[in-house]
């Protein structure tokens, strides 16, 4: 919602919801098609800390194919910021609430200005990880926009949990976890 509020087009891709991912595993051609159709300037990664391996795989591939695209990460995934910055091609990691840091960071990227003083981010400088001072906390959470649910098919997240477990198990092991 913040990105859209700033006037940018956005797209959310959840690999775990793509039918092709569930049946065939990771297929970078699928993501290349999405990137070539949408033509993003920036790709963002989110997830939990255990998403690091998948973020690394995506980041290295995207950088090889699309080196001009800036890559950022945030959310709980930011807890592994040193790994992200030293072992992937992520350009910046946002810590804490992105509502403060993200607009500043996007503005700097848009105008090709330095990010060295953007609060609440980490980045590499001369091969070393730099973590800036924290961003201010949002004082009034009601000022944050609600998530833009029109960017996702929310019904995909509301399916029967048993069906989800079975789909997940089949994608990993070829059998059901729950009967």
């Amino acid at each position: 919602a913040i990105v859209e509020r700033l006037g940018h087009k956005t797209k959310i891709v959840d690999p775990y919801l793509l039918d092709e991912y569930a049946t065939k595993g990771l297929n970078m051609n699928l993501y290349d098609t999405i990137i070539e159709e949408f033509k993003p300037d920036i790709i963002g990664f989110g997830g939990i800390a255990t998403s690091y391996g998948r973020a690394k795989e995506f980041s290295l591939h995207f950088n090889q194919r699309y080196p001009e695209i800036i890559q950022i990460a945030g959310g709980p995934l930011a807890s592994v910021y040193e790994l992200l910055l030293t072992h992937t091609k992520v350009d910046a990691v946002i810590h804490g609430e992105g509502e403060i840091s993200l607009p500043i960071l996007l503005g700097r990227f848009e105008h090709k200005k330095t990010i060295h003083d953007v609060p609440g981010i980490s980045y590499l400088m001369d091969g070393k990880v730099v973590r800036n001072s924290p961003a201010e906390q949002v004082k009034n959470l009601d000022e944050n926009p609600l998530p833009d649910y029109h960017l996702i098919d929310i019904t995909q997240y509301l399916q029967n949990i048993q069906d989800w477990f079975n789909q997940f198990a089949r994608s990993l092991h070829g059998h059901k976890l729950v009967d």
Side-chain angles (χ1 to χ4, degrees):
I2 298 223
V3 175
E4 282 195 333
R5 185 186 271 183
L6 294 170
H8 303 288
K9 291 188 321 181
T10 60
K11 182 175 189 71
I12 296 174
V13 177
D14 184 342
Y16 297 103
L17 294 182
L18 296 176
D19 290 337
E20 191 167 327
Y21 179 85
T23 58
K24 298 179 185 171
L26 186 62
N27 177 354
M28 288 300 186
N29 293 331
L30 177 63
Y31 301 99
D32 289 339
T33 300
I34 293 168
I35 288 172
E36 288 161 14
E37 288 174 359
F38 190 70
K39 299 181 183 349
D41 295 318
I42 297 174
I43 293 176
F45 298 100
I48 58 177
T50 57
S51 301
Y52 163 74
R54 187 54 37 93
K56 178 181 178 181
E57 199 169 357
F58 281 124
S59 175
L60 295 174
H61 173 80
F62 294 156
N63 182 259
Q64 184 177 32
R65 290 283 309 249
Y66 315 99
E68 71 283 0
I69 296 177
I70 295 167
Q71 298 183 43
I72 62 175
L77 183 59
S79 66
V80 293
Y81 71 98
E82 289 179 338
L83 286 172
L84 287 165
L85 293 169
T86 58
H87 291 84
T88 75
K89 295 298 182 177
V90 168
D91 298 292
V93 176
I94 298 174
H95 302 278
E97 298 178 41
E99 290 81 4
I100 303 294
S101 303
L102 184 59
I104 299 168
L105 185 63
L106 293 179
R108 298 292 175 84
F109 285 145
E110 187 174 8
H111 296 101
K112 298 188 182 348
K113 295 193 174 190
T114 183
I115 63 172
H116 77 276
D117 61 344
V118 175
I121 69 163
S122 294
Y123 55 94
L124 276 183
M125 181 185 288
D126 300 324
K128 294 189 186 332
V129 174
V130 175
R131 184 166 177 167
N132 289 354
S133 60
E136 222 180 275
Q137 293 290 309
V138 174
K139 290 178 180 53
N140 181 358
L141 293 178
D142 291 333
E143 291 176 4
N144 288 346
L146 293 173
D148 280 337
Y149 290 114
H150 71 275
L151 295 171
I152 59 171
D153 178 3
I154 195 72
T155 62
Q156 293 289 317
Y157 294 94
L158 302 175
Q159 66 180 328
N160 179 304
I161 194 68
Q162 182 177 352
D163 293 342
W164 182 87
F165 274 123
N166 288 330
Q167 178 183 356
F168 178 72
R170 280 192 299 276
S171 72
L172 295 177
H173 308 290
H175 61 77
K176 287 184 175 182
L177 288 177
V178 180
D179 282 324

